[in-house]
Amino acid sequence: MQPNPVFWHPYRREFSKRAKEAISTDDTRLIHALAREDPEALARIMDRYANYVATVIQNQLGAFALREDTEELTANVFVSLWQHQIGRAHV
């Protein structure tokens, strides 16, 4: 089993070299736009990744999660992304 190529170094506030290689050009543009506090970038990121994030959350919580719980936690992920502006990383 290979490790996930996307790895965020929280203390250095940057992506690993493997992660940088795995991120698409469009994702890179979105990350930079997010760093400029562009709400359209956040909307596009949400459109692109909301289903994936919701699936991960549902898989982690399993039968314990109601639909409303999954939706709220998914929204919290993107609110946190906006508030912490992970896009300020050097990509």
Side-chain angles (χ1 to χ4, degrees), residues 42-59:
L42 180 63
R44 291 187 60 205
I45 289 170
M46 290 174 65
D47 287 344
R48 185 174 294 175
Y49 293 105
N51 287 336
Y52 175 76
V53 170
T55 299
V56 170
I57 290 168
Q58 185 65 50
N59 287 341

Side-chain angles (χ1 to χ4, degrees), residues 20-41:
K20 290 177 186 178
E21 294 168 358
I23 296 173
S24 74
T25 304
D26 191 45
D27 284 344
T28 301
R29 286 188 198 119
L30 288 174
I31 290 169
H32 287 290
L34 186 64
R36 293 188 306 272
E37 299 182 9
D38 179 356
E40 180 62 30

Side-chain angles (χ1 to χ4, degrees), residues 66-79:
L66 300 173
R67 179 179 173 189
E68 294 81 15
D69 295 333
T70 303
E71 290 172 357
E72 182 176 349
L73 289 169
T74 300
N76 289 347
V77 167
F78 293 106
V79 168

